Amino acid sequence: MAPAELDSAVSEEKEADAKPGKQRRSKGTLKRIVTSVPELTLLILLILGGYLLMAVFSKVQGTQDLTPTSMWLIIAGSFLISTAIAIIAVVAGIGGGVIFTPIMLGFTSMDSLVIRATGLVVAMFSGLISSGPFMKSRLANLRVVFFCGVPITVGALAGSVCAIYLHDALGAVGDGMVRLSLGILMLVIAYFLLTGGGKTEYPEPEHIDALSVKLGLNGSYWESSLGKIVDYQLVRALPGALIFILLGFIGGFFGMGGGAFLTATLNLVMMAPVKIAAACSGVLLAISNATAIWTYITYGALIAIVVAPWLLGQVVGGILGAHLLIRIRAGFVRKILIVILVLSSLKLIARGVGGAFGIHIPLVG
Amino acid sequence: MPGEKLKVPFAGLIYGQIIYWGVMLGCLIVVFGSVIAFTTRHNFAPASYWISSVWRGDSPARIWQGITGALPMGHWYFSHLTTGDGMSAFGISLGVFSVVPALFLSSAVLFKEGDRFYGLLALICGFIVLTGVLGLIPTG
């Protein structure tokens, strides 16, 4: 398998990148991915073969709205877009749901509950697949993950149940309110990404509380940029846990991860080094979304045929993104992402105001 | 590399491995399910119905109204595992469900290693996820 080999592939790739010769590096990267993560190669071949079979031997009948060809294009296109979202999300260091959910809610006519269920899959699977490498590299601290895991799963479950209740009780007005509040939330996330949220690489807490020490919320990891082992101690265990209930609720309710908030909480409130915060937030996102999604699955909001290509794209893109991380400038991707988020949020706010209060905003509405 | 001297917690390794392979297995099932859904007529509901309804913006209640008459309120795919759409839904659920054995097994490892508090927290996390899996909190 793979987390181990994936790790070694990434580190080998880093070494290769340090050497001159762009073409040799590109070939080397592809070869390394194929040989070190064979199951990914197999999966990609199966997906491509499967989509080819679906195109050639399709027995799908056309409907009033769509022809068989357009249905196939929707499925294959969803896979490609999902792969791209996963790569962008990994490079930008956020969850894919933050891109998927606002765009779909802002620019398509799909039902908000169906979008949120699909959004949880998009937010979750790249996090699930990267849990192994994060654990192996010691960047994800098991104690921090399980300590924050309890409040975030409680919040996520509550958020998903509330989402269903609100959808059933308020109908179109509820959908408008969801779009409006998500639009505002997206602006906050865009601001976080723009300013970096005041994150510090290696925070040094002035006061260490007794509870955090008693809980043993500490650890150490190999910091390659410094060439030494970094020890850290988390603080403010109780306020951190309370914030995680709220973050879990937001994730479960809106059908997205909100990884930027999780990382900021771990880094700014609990004083985890930024690498530890990012890795732990990835694992925590996966756990919280894996809790919330069952409410949508059992309700019937997760439409498997439609969700399938989004899931496959997240897995393929998540692994590819980890390899590409080294050669794409993260700063550039983050700028693109901020533009996407601001545009989506404006559209969401406009549609939200229209749905909730019946006010039409020209141009963006 | 000096970093290799740092011991990786076994519970963490177990956690990551189970989830990784659970997701991979789920993906394989999803691929086969999607192919069956498109290339045969062996489906719980036609693939064209699912895609068109979602594309039109129908709510889950309206979509299911046209299939069973009511929302499934449970794991409908267990009784339709050989159909394309049922298999796809099962694959997705399997990938998500991999979190549960991962949490329980890493909890067992933590208990065995004497780290009872964090073993208990992992166990609680596992039970919270299970609450969602079993649909114990009513939604309608």
Side-chain angles (χ1 to χ4, degrees), chain A residues 205-254:
Chain A
E206 287 175 12
H207 171 72
I208 298 172
D209 57 297
L211 179 65
S212 301
V213 175
K214 200 170 181 185
L215 289 169
L217 292 175
N218 53 39
S220 49
Y221 71 102
W222 173 251
E223 177 53 76
S224 50
S225 63
L226 299 176
K228 67 171 189 177
I229 292 170
V230 172
D231 297 310
Y232 59 90
Q233 167 71 53
L234 267 65
V235 295
R236 301 191 193 106
L238 199 59
L242 293 174
I243 295 172
F244 271 103
I245 295 177
L246 178 70
L247 296 180
F249 184 90
I250 290 171
F253 185 82
F254 288 115

mmCIF file of all heavy atoms in Angstrom, chain A residues 205-254:
data_model
loop_
_atom_site.group_PDB
_atom_site.id
_atom_site.type_symbol
_atom_site.label_atom_id
_atom_site.label_comp_id
_atom_site.label_asym_id
_atom_site.label_seq_id
_atom_site.Cartn_x
_atom_site.Cartn_y
_atom_site.Cartn_z
ATOM 1 N N PRO A 205 3.377 29.594 22.941
ATOM 2 C CA PRO A 205 2.370 30.029 23.911
ATOM 3 C C PRO A 205 3.010 30.695 25.136
ATOM 4 O O PRO A 205 4.028 30.215 25.636
ATOM 5 C CB PRO A 205 1.658 28.729 24.299
ATOM 6 C CG PRO A 205 2.536 27.626 23.847
ATOM 7 C CD PRO A 205 3.408 28.141 22.765
ATOM 8 N N GLU A 206 2.381 31.820 25.560
ATOM 9 C CA GLU A 206 2.913 32.520 26.743
ATOM 10 C C GLU A 206 2.537 31.782 28.016
ATOM 11 O O GLU A 206 3.276 31.769 28.984
ATOM 12 C CB GLU A 206 2.362 33.941 26.780
ATOM 13 C CG GLU A 206 2.995 34.841 25.724
ATOM 14 C CD GLU A 206 2.367 36.216 25.676
ATOM 15 O OE1 GLU A 206 1.605 36.572 26.599
ATOM 16 O OE2 GLU A 206 2.638 36.930 24.695
ATOM 17 N N HIS A 207 1.336 31.207 28.000
ATOM 18 C CA HIS A 207 0.879 30.495 29.199
ATOM 19 C C HIS A 207 0.369 29.103 28.793
ATOM 20 O O HIS A 207 -0.421 28.985 27.862
ATOM 21 C CB HIS A 207 -0.247 31.290 29.871
ATOM 22 C CG HIS A 207 -0.913 30.533 30.972
ATOM 23 N ND1 HIS A 207 -0.296 30.305 32.187
ATOM 24 C CD2 HIS A 207 -2.129 29.928 31.036
ATOM 25 C CE1 HIS A 207 -1.133 29.600 32.944
ATOM 26 N NE2 HIS A 207 -2.238 29.358 32.279
ATOM 27 N N ILE A 208 0.841 28.093 29.471
ATOM 28 C CA ILE A 208 0.374 26.728 29.166
ATOM 29 C C ILE A 208 -0.556 26.285 30.288
ATOM 30 O O ILE A 208 -0.155 26.254 31.464
ATOM 31 C CB ILE A 208 1.566 25.750 29.037
ATOM 32 C CG1 ILE A 208 2.457 26.192 27.860
ATOM 33 C CG2 ILE A 208 1.076 24.327 28.812
ATOM 34 C CD1 ILE A 208 3.753 25.428 27.737
ATOM 35 N N ASP A 209 -1.817 25.995 29.941
ATOM 36 C CA ASP A 209 -2.799 25.620 30.968
ATOM 37 C C ASP A 209 -2.595 24.180 31.424
ATOM 38 O O ASP A 209 -2.107 23.329 30.669
ATOM 39 C CB ASP A 209 -4.225 25.836 30.446
ATOM 40 C CG ASP A 209 -4.490 25.061 29.178
ATOM 41 O OD1 ASP A 209 -3.827 25.337 28.160
ATOM 42 O OD2 ASP A 209 -5.328 24.138 29.207
ATOM 43 N N ALA A 210 -3.027 23.951 32.672
ATOM 44 C CA ALA A 210 -2.794 22.650 33.302
ATOM 45 C C ALA A 210 -3.529 21.523 32.584
ATOM 46 O O ALA A 210 -2.998 20.409 32.458
ATOM 47 C CB ALA A 210 -3.232 22.719 34.767
ATOM 48 N N LEU A 211 -4.750 21.841 32.083
ATOM 49 C CA LEU A 211 -5.559 20.799 31.435
ATOM 50 C C LEU A 211 -4.857 20.251 30.179
ATOM 51 O O LEU A 211 -4.798 19.033 29.981
ATOM 52 C CB LEU A 211 -6.946 21.354 31.073
ATOM 53 C CG LEU A 211 -7.893 20.378 30.371
ATOM 54 C CD1 LEU A 211 -8.259 19.217 31.283
ATOM 55 C CD2 LEU A 211 -9.154 21.075 29.874
ATOM 56 N N SER A 212 -4.333 21.176 29.381
ATOM 57 C CA SER A 212 -3.662 20.739 28.143
ATOM 58 C C SER A 212 -2.442 19.877 28.448
ATOM 59 O O SER A 212 -2.151 18.910 27.734
ATOM 60 C CB SER A 212 -3.228 21.959 27.322
ATOM 61 O OG SER A 212 -4.335 22.737 27.000
ATOM 62 N N VAL A 213 -1.742 20.233 29.542
ATOM 63 C CA VAL A 213 -0.568 19.438 29.928
ATOM 64 C C VAL A 213 -1.012 18.064 30.408
ATOM 65 O O VAL A 213 -0.455 17.034 30.032
ATOM 66 C CB VAL A 213 0.239 20.174 31.034
ATOM 67 C CG1 VAL A 213 1.380 19.301 31.528
ATOM 68 C CG2 VAL A 213 0.770 21.499 30.501
ATOM 69 N N LYS A 214 -2.083 18.058 31.237
ATOM 70 C CA LYS A 214 -2.588 16.793 31.786
ATOM 71 C C LYS A 214 -3.088 15.863 30.675
ATOM 72 O O LYS A 214 -2.933 14.648 30.741
ATOM 73 C CB LYS A 214 -3.719 17.080 32.783
ATOM 74 C CG LYS A 214 -3.970 15.941 33.739
ATOM 75 C CD LYS A 214 -4.910 16.329 34.839
ATOM 76 C CE LYS A 214 -5.091 15.141 35.778
ATOM 77 N NZ LYS A 214 -6.077 15.404 36.817
ATOM 78 N N LEU A 215 -3.676 16.477 29.641
ATOM 79 C CA LEU A 215 -4.192 15.677 28.520
ATOM 80 C C LEU A 215 -3.069 15.180 27.607
ATOM 81 O O LEU A 215 -3.304 14.343 26.743
ATOM 82 C CB LEU A 215 -5.182 16.520 27.696
ATOM 83 C CG LEU A 215 -6.534 16.814 28.344
ATOM 84 C CD1 LEU A 215 -7.291 17.860 27.538
ATOM 85 C CD2 LEU A 215 -7.365 15.537 28.462
ATOM 86 N N GLY A 216 -1.900 15.724 27.787
ATOM 87 C CA GLY A 216 -0.757 15.299 26.968
ATOM 88 C C GLY A 216 -0.887 15.729 25.519
ATOM 89 O O GLY A 216 -0.497 14.985 24.605
ATOM 90 N N LEU A 217 -1.450 16.933 25.300
ATOM 91 C CA LEU A 217 -1.628 17.423 23.929
ATOM 92 C C LEU A 217 -0.310 18.023 23.426
ATOM 93 O O LEU A 217 -0.174 19.231 23.243
ATOM 94 C CB LEU A 217 -2.747 18.470 23.877
ATOM 95 C CG LEU A 217 -4.159 17.949 24.150
ATOM 96 C CD1 LEU A 217 -5.160 19.091 24.192
ATOM 97 C CD2 LEU A 217 -4.581 16.925 23.095
ATOM 98 N N ASN A 218 0.662 17.169 23.249
ATOM 99 C CA ASN A 218 1.967 17.624 22.772
ATOM 100 C C ASN A 218 2.524 16.599 21.783
ATOM 101 O O ASN A 218 1.926 15.544 21.569
ATOM 102 C CB ASN A 218 2.938 17.833 23.946
ATOM 103 C CG ASN A 218 3.001 16.595 24.820
ATOM 104 O OD1 ASN A 218 2.979 15.470 24.305
ATOM 105 N ND2 ASN A 218 3.047 16.766 26.130
ATOM 106 N N GLY A 219 3.629 16.920 21.193
ATOM 107 C CA GLY A 219 4.232 15.981 20.240
ATOM 108 C C GLY A 219 5.506 16.548 19.650
ATOM 109 O O GLY A 219 5.986 17.611 20.074
ATOM 110 N N SER A 220 6.040 15.839 18.683
ATOM 111 C CA SER A 220 7.233 16.316 17.991
ATOM 112 C C SER A 220 7.219 15.769 16.564
ATOM 113 O O SER A 220 6.615 14.721 16.308
ATOM 114 C CB SER A 220 8.492 15.869 18.726
ATOM 115 O OG SER A 220 8.418 14.496 19.003
ATOM 116 N N TYR A 221 7.825 16.494 15.666
ATOM 117 C CA TYR A 221 7.886 16.043 14.276
ATOM 118 C C TYR A 221 9.167 16.557 13.635
ATOM 119 O O TYR A 221 9.794 17.497 14.129
ATOM 120 C CB TYR A 221 6.659 16.534 13.486
ATOM 121 C CG TYR A 221 6.644 18.013 13.198
ATOM 122 C CD1 TYR A 221 6.985 18.520 11.949
ATOM 123 C CD2 TYR A 221 6.290 18.923 14.196
ATOM 124 C CE1 TYR A 221 6.975 19.885 11.698
ATOM 125 C CE2 TYR A 221 6.278 20.284 13.950
ATOM 126 C CZ TYR A 221 6.612 20.761 12.704
ATOM 127 O OH TYR A 221 6.616 22.104 12.459
ATOM 128 N N TRP A 222 9.553 15.901 12.530
ATOM 129 C CA TRP A 222 10.761 16.287 11.816
ATOM 130 C C TRP A 222 10.434 17.431 10.871
ATOM 131 O O TRP A 222 9.607 17.297 9.972
ATOM 132 C CB TRP A 222 11.317 15.099 11.032
ATOM 133 C CG TRP A 222 12.470 15.476 10.147
ATOM 134 C CD1 TRP A 222 12.465 15.553 8.788
ATOM 135 C CD2 TRP A 222 13.787 15.840 10.554
ATOM 136 N NE1 TRP A 222 13.692 15.941 8.327
ATOM 137 C CE2 TRP A 222 14.529 16.124 9.386
ATOM 138 C CE3 TRP A 222 14.415 15.954 11.798
ATOM 139 C CZ2 TRP A 222 15.864 16.518 9.425
ATOM 140 C CZ3 TRP A 222 15.749 16.341 11.834
ATOM 141 C CH2 TRP A 222 16.459 16.615 10.662
ATOM 142 N N GLU A 223 11.069 18.603 11.115
ATOM 143 C CA GLU A 223 10.828 19.773 10.265
ATOM 144 C C GLU A 223 11.976 19.886 9.268
ATOM 145 O O GLU A 223 13.091 20.310 9.623
ATOM 146 C CB GLU A 223 10.714 21.029 11.138
ATOM 147 C CG GLU A 223 10.540 22.331 10.370
ATOM 148 C CD GLU A 223 9.389 22.323 9.366
ATOM 149 O OE1 GLU A 223 8.249 22.423 9.798
ATOM 150 O OE2 GLU A 223 9.653 22.193 8.142
ATOM 151 N N SER A 224 11.689 19.480 8.018
ATOM 152 C CA SER A 224 12.762 19.416 7.024
ATOM 153 C C SER A 224 13.346 20.799 6.700
ATOM 154 O O SER A 224 14.530 20.923 6.414
ATOM 155 C CB SER A 224 12.258 18.737 5.754
ATOM 156 O OG SER A 224 11.062 19.336 5.352
ATOM 157 N N SER A 225 12.502 21.859 6.754
ATOM 158 C CA SER A 225 13.006 23.197 6.408
ATOM 159 C C SER A 225 14.014 23.700 7.448
ATOM 160 O O SER A 225 14.884 24.504 7.143
ATOM 161 C CB SER A 225 11.856 24.189 6.276
ATOM 162 O OG SER A 225 11.199 24.334 7.524
ATOM 163 N N LEU A 226 13.894 23.213 8.690
ATOM 164 C CA LEU A 226 14.838 23.617 9.740
ATOM 165 C C LEU A 226 15.938 22.580 9.939
ATOM 166 O O LEU A 226 16.954 22.851 10.574
ATOM 167 C CB LEU A 226 14.092 23.810 11.085
ATOM 168 C CG LEU A 226 12.995 24.883 11.121
ATOM 169 C CD1 LEU A 226 12.303 24.880 12.478
ATOM 170 C CD2 LEU A 226 13.577 26.256 10.843
ATOM 171 N N GLY A 227 15.683 21.361 9.439
ATOM 172 C CA GLY A 227 16.636 20.269 9.603
ATOM 173 C C GLY A 227 16.731 19.802 11.041
ATOM 174 O O GLY A 227 17.797 19.376 11.501
ATOM 175 N N LYS A 228 15.634 19.882 11.756
ATOM 176 C CA LYS A 228 15.654 19.405 13.152
ATOM 177 C C LYS A 228 14.254 18.963 13.604
ATOM 178 O O LYS A 228 13.255 19.238 12.926
ATOM 179 C CB LYS A 228 16.176 20.501 14.075
ATOM 180 C CG LYS A 228 15.271 21.710 14.183
ATOM 181 C CD LYS A 228 15.766 22.648 15.281
ATOM 182 C CE LYS A 228 14.741 23.736 15.546
ATOM 183 N NZ LYS A 228 15.082 24.633 16.610
ATOM 184 N N ILE A 229 14.232 18.297 14.753
ATOM 185 C CA ILE A 229 12.957 17.862 15.320
ATOM 186 C C ILE A 229 12.338 19.042 16.078
ATOM 187 O O ILE A 229 13.020 19.709 16.857
ATOM 188 C CB ILE A 229 13.163 16.667 16.275
ATOM 189 C CG1 ILE A 229 13.586 15.435 15.467
ATOM 190 C CG2 ILE A 229 11.887 16.372 17.062
ATOM 191 C CD1 ILE A 229 14.050 14.265 16.308
ATOM 192 N N VAL A 230 11.057 19.317 15.802
ATOM 193 C CA VAL A 230 10.364 20.410 16.499
ATOM 194 C C VAL A 230 9.413 19.809 17.536
ATOM 195 O O VAL A 230 8.615 18.936 17.218
ATOM 196 C CB VAL A 230 9.562 21.277 15.481
ATOM 197 C CG1 VAL A 230 8.683 22.297 16.212
ATOM 198 C CG2 VAL A 230 10.503 21.979 14.531
ATOM 199 N N ASP A 231 9.541 20.262 18.790
ATOM 200 C CA ASP A 231 8.612 19.840 19.847
ATOM 201 C C ASP A 231 7.544 20.917 20.014
ATOM 202 O O ASP A 231 7.834 22.103 19.858
ATOM 203 C CB ASP A 231 9.362 19.668 21.171
ATOM 204 C CG ASP A 231 10.406 18.572 21.081
ATOM 205 O OD1 ASP A 231 10.058 17.473 20.616
ATOM 206 O OD2 ASP A 231 11.572 18.839 21.437
ATOM 207 N N TYR A 232 6.336 20.502 20.323
ATOM 208 C CA TYR A 232 5.270 21.498 20.516
ATOM 209 C C TYR A 232 4.324 21.061 21.626
ATOM 210 O O TYR A 232 4.213 19.878 21.938
ATOM 211 C CB TYR A 232 4.497 21.732 19.208
ATOM 212 C CG TYR A 232 3.846 20.470 18.659
ATOM 213 C CD1 TYR A 232 2.559 20.103 19.014
ATOM 214 C CD2 TYR A 232 4.548 19.641 17.786
ATOM 215 C CE1 TYR A 232 1.972 18.954 18.523
ATOM 216 C CE2 TYR A 232 3.978 18.486 17.293
ATOM 217 C CZ TYR A 232 2.680 18.153 17.660
ATOM 218 O OH TYR A 232 2.113 16.996 17.184
ATOM 219 N N GLN A 233 3.667 22.055 22.216
ATOM 220 C CA GLN A 233 2.664 21.814 23.267
ATOM 221 C C GLN A 233 1.428 22.629 22.915
ATOM 222 O O GLN A 233 1.524 23.840 22.713
ATOM 223 C CB GLN A 233 3.211 22.255 24.633
ATOM 224 C CG GLN A 233 2.174 22.340 25.738
ATOM 225 C CD GLN A 233 1.669 20.980 26.204
ATOM 226 O OE1 GLN A 233 2.451 20.094 26.549
ATOM 227 N NE2 GLN A 233 0.346 20.810 26.207
ATOM 228 N N LEU A 234 0.281 21.969 22.813
ATOM 229 C CA LEU A 234 -0.952 22.699 22.539
ATOM 230 C C LEU A 234 -1.499 23.292 23.835
ATOM 231 O O LEU A 234 -1.225 22.750 24.924
ATOM 232 C CB LEU A 234 -1.995 21.779 21.903
ATOM 233 C CG LEU A 234 -2.007 21.771 20.367
ATOM 234 C CD1 LEU A 234 -0.717 21.199 19.814
ATOM 235 C CD2 LEU A 234 -3.175 20.991 19.842
ATOM 236 N N VAL A 235 -2.248 24.376 23.723
ATOM 237 C CA VAL A 235 -2.853 25.016 24.900
ATOM 238 C C VAL A 235 -4.344 25.240 24.644
ATOM 239 O O VAL A 235 -4.843 24.921 23.568
ATOM 240 C CB VAL A 235 -2.160 26.370 25.212
ATOM 241 C CG1 VAL A 235 -0.715 26.165 25.610
ATOM 242 C CG2 VAL A 235 -2.254 27.320 24.019
ATOM 243 N N ARG A 236 -5.024 25.776 25.629
ATOM 244 C CA ARG A 236 -6.466 26.124 25.553
ATOM 245 C C ARG A 236 -7.305 24.951 25.039
ATOM 246 O O ARG A 236 -8.076 25.091 24.080
ATOM 247 C CB ARG A 236 -6.678 27.353 24.661
ATOM 248 C CG ARG A 236 -5.931 28.587 25.145
ATOM 249 C CD ARG A 236 -6.382 29.823 24.382
ATOM 250 N NE ARG A 236 -5.467 30.916 24.630
ATOM 251 C CZ ARG A 236 -4.579 31.365 23.738
ATOM 252 N NH1 ARG A 236 -4.488 30.820 22.546
ATOM 253 N NH2 ARG A 236 -3.777 32.364 24.049
ATOM 254 N N ALA A 237 -7.166 23.812 25.709
ATOM 255 C CA ALA A 237 -7.884 22.606 25.273
ATOM 256 C C ALA A 237 -9.398 22.804 25.324
ATOM 257 O O ALA A 237 -10.106 22.432 24.371
ATOM 258 C CB ALA A 237 -7.481 21.425 26.154
ATOM 259 N N LEU A 238 -9.889 23.420 26.400
ATOM 260 C CA LEU A 238 -11.343 23.547 26.567
ATOM 261 C C LEU A 238 -11.964 24.523 25.558
ATOM 262 O O LEU A 238 -12.917 24.144 24.855
ATOM 263 C CB LEU A 238 -11.668 23.956 28.007
ATOM 264 C CG LEU A 238 -13.100 23.698 28.452
ATOM 265 C CD1 LEU A 238 -13.472 22.239 28.347
ATOM 266 C CD2 LEU A 238 -13.295 24.188 29.889
ATOM 267 N N PRO A 239 -11.445 25.776 25.449
ATOM 268 C CA PRO A 239 -12.013 26.667 24.425
ATOM 269 C C PRO A 239 -11.904 26.068 23.025
ATOM 270 O O PRO A 239 -12.827 26.189 22.211
ATOM 271 C CB PRO A 239 -11.167 27.939 24.527
ATOM 272 C CG PRO A 239 -10.443 27.866 25.805
ATOM 273 C CD PRO A 239 -10.376 26.442 26.212
ATOM 274 N N GLY A 240 -10.802 25.389 22.762
ATOM 275 C CA GLY A 240 -10.601 24.754 21.452
ATOM 276 C C GLY A 240 -11.699 23.733 21.174
ATOM 277 O O GLY A 240 -12.292 23.717 20.095
ATOM 278 N N ALA A 241 -12.005 22.906 22.189
ATOM 279 C CA ALA A 241 -13.035 21.870 22.015
ATOM 280 C C ALA A 241 -14.391 22.507 21.738
ATOM 281 O O ALA A 241 -15.158 22.016 20.901
ATOM 282 C CB ALA A 241 -13.100 20.998 23.265
ATOM 283 N N LEU A 242 -14.699 23.625 22.435
ATOM 284 C CA LEU A 242 -15.992 24.295 22.226
ATOM 285 C C LEU A 242 -16.086 24.863 20.804
ATOM 286 O O LEU A 242 -17.133 24.769 20.156
ATOM 287 C CB LEU A 242 -16.186 25.420 23.260
ATOM 288 C CG LEU A 242 -16.332 24.948 24.709
ATOM 289 C CD1 LEU A 242 -16.374 26.126 25.673
ATOM 290 C CD2 LEU A 242 -17.587 24.086 24.882
ATOM 291 N N ILE A 243 -14.992 25.429 20.319
ATOM 292 C CA ILE A 243 -14.989 25.972 18.947
ATOM 293 C C ILE A 243 -15.201 24.836 17.938
ATOM 294 O O ILE A 243 -15.900 24.992 16.942
ATOM 295 C CB ILE A 243 -13.674 26.734 18.652
ATOM 296 C CG1 ILE A 243 -13.577 27.971 19.536
ATOM 297 C CG2 ILE A 243 -13.586 27.142 17.177
ATOM 298 C CD1 ILE A 243 -12.249 28.699 19.475
ATOM 299 N N PHE A 244 -14.638 23.669 18.235
ATOM 300 C CA PHE A 244 -14.773 22.542 17.300
ATOM 301 C C PHE A 244 -16.218 22.044 17.185
ATOM 302 O O PHE A 244 -16.605 21.523 16.144
ATOM 303 C CB PHE A 244 -13.821 21.402 17.683
ATOM 304 C CG PHE A 244 -12.476 21.571 17.032
ATOM 305 C CD1 PHE A 244 -11.397 22.036 17.758
ATOM 306 C CD2 PHE A 244 -12.304 21.320 15.684
ATOM 307 C CE1 PHE A 244 -10.169 22.233 17.153
ATOM 308 C CE2 PHE A 244 -11.081 21.514 15.066
ATOM 309 C CZ PHE A 244 -10.009 21.980 15.809
ATOM 310 N N ILE A 245 -16.999 22.214 18.255
ATOM 311 C CA ILE A 245 -18.426 21.851 18.153
ATOM 312 C C ILE A 245 -19.076 22.739 17.092
ATOM 313 O O ILE A 245 -19.801 22.272 16.205
ATOM 314 C CB ILE A 245 -19.155 22.036 19.503
ATOM 315 C CG1 ILE A 245 -18.599 21.064 20.552
ATOM 316 C CG2 ILE A 245 -20.664 21.812 19.338
ATOM 317 C CD1 ILE A 245 -19.211 21.213 21.927
ATOM 318 N N LEU A 246 -18.791 24.042 17.158
ATOM 319 C CA LEU A 246 -19.361 25.006 16.214
ATOM 320 C C LEU A 246 -18.887 24.722 14.778
ATOM 321 O O LEU A 246 -19.691 24.721 13.835
ATOM 322 C CB LEU A 246 -18.965 26.428 16.623
ATOM 323 C CG LEU A 246 -19.453 27.551 15.706
ATOM 324 C CD1 LEU A 246 -20.963 27.710 15.817
ATOM 325 C CD2 LEU A 246 -18.771 28.871 16.053
ATOM 326 N N LEU A 247 -17.588 24.437 14.626
ATOM 327 C CA LEU A 247 -17.046 24.172 13.293
ATOM 328 C C LEU A 247 -17.635 22.892 12.690
ATOM 329 O O LEU A 247 -17.896 22.815 11.499
ATOM 330 C CB LEU A 247 -15.515 24.085 13.339
ATOM 331 C CG LEU A 247 -14.792 25.376 13.747
ATOM 332 C CD1 LEU A 247 -13.284 25.174 13.755
ATOM 333 C CD2 LEU A 247 -15.165 26.521 12.827
ATOM 334 N N GLY A 248 -17.839 21.886 13.551
ATOM 335 C CA GLY A 248 -18.466 20.641 13.106
ATOM 336 C C GLY A 248 -19.879 20.917 12.617
ATOM 337 O O GLY A 248 -20.314 20.401 11.577
ATOM 338 N N PHE A 249 -20.601 21.768 13.363
ATOM 339 C CA PHE A 249 -21.978 22.112 12.998
ATOM 340 C C PHE A 249 -22.002 22.781 11.620
ATOM 341 O O PHE A 249 -22.813 22.433 10.764
ATOM 342 C CB PHE A 249 -22.577 23.042 14.061
ATOM 343 C CG PHE A 249 -24.021 23.368 13.823
ATOM 344 C CD1 PHE A 249 -25.019 22.568 14.357
ATOM 345 C CD2 PHE A 249 -24.397 24.443 13.035
ATOM 346 C CE1 PHE A 249 -26.352 22.838 14.121
ATOM 347 C CE2 PHE A 249 -25.724 24.721 12.794
ATOM 348 C CZ PHE A 249 -26.713 23.926 13.339
ATOM 349 N N ILE A 250 -21.100 23.759 11.419
ATOM 350 C CA ILE A 250 -21.048 24.481 10.138
ATOM 351 C C ILE A 250 -20.786 23.506 8.988
ATOM 352 O O ILE A 250 -21.451 23.544 7.951
ATOM 353 C CB ILE A 250 -19.948 25.577 10.178
ATOM 354 C CG1 ILE A 250 -20.373 26.700 11.127
ATOM 355 C CG2 ILE A 250 -19.669 26.146 8.785
ATOM 356 C CD1 ILE A 250 -19.285 27.721 11.413
ATOM 357 N N GLY A 251 -19.826 22.597 9.189
ATOM 358 C CA GLY A 251 -19.485 21.611 8.158
ATOM 359 C C GLY A 251 -20.661 20.711 7.833
ATOM 360 O O GLY A 251 -20.979 20.472 6.665
ATOM 361 N N GLY A 252 -21.333 20.197 8.857
ATOM 362 C CA GLY A 252 -22.462 19.285 8.669
ATOM 363 C C GLY A 252 -23.655 19.987 8.055
ATOM 364 O O GLY A 252 -24.388 19.418 7.260
ATOM 365 N N PHE A 253 -23.860 21.251 8.433
ATOM 366 C CA PHE A 253 -25.027 22.000 7.958
ATOM 367 C C PHE A 253 -24.858 22.427 6.507
ATOM 368 O O PHE A 253 -25.761 22.263 5.692
ATOM 369 C CB PHE A 253 -25.243 23.227 8.847
ATOM 370 C CG PHE A 253 -26.491 23.996 8.512
ATOM 371 C CD1 PHE A 253 -27.718 23.579 9.006
ATOM 372 C CD2 PHE A 253 -26.450 25.107 7.698
ATOM 373 C CE1 PHE A 253 -28.882 24.266 8.689
ATOM 374 C CE2 PHE A 253 -27.603 25.798 7.371
ATOM 375 C CZ PHE A 253 -28.820 25.382 7.871
ATOM 376 N N PHE A 254 -23.697 23.003 6.178
ATOM 377 C CA PHE A 254 -23.496 23.543 4.833
ATOM 378 C C PHE A 254 -22.953 22.509 3.849
ATOM 379 O O PHE A 254 -22.897 22.760 2.643
ATOM 380 C CB PHE A 254 -22.542 24.737 4.870
ATOM 381 C CG PHE A 254 -23.166 25.966 5.475
ATOM 382 C CD1 PHE A 254 -22.693 26.491 6.660
ATOM 383 C CD2 PHE A 254 -24.238 26.585 4.859
ATOM 384 C CE1 PHE A 254 -23.277 27.620 7.212
ATOM 385 C CE2 PHE A 254 -24.828 27.713 5.412
ATOM 386 C CZ PHE A 254 -24.337 28.231 6.594
#
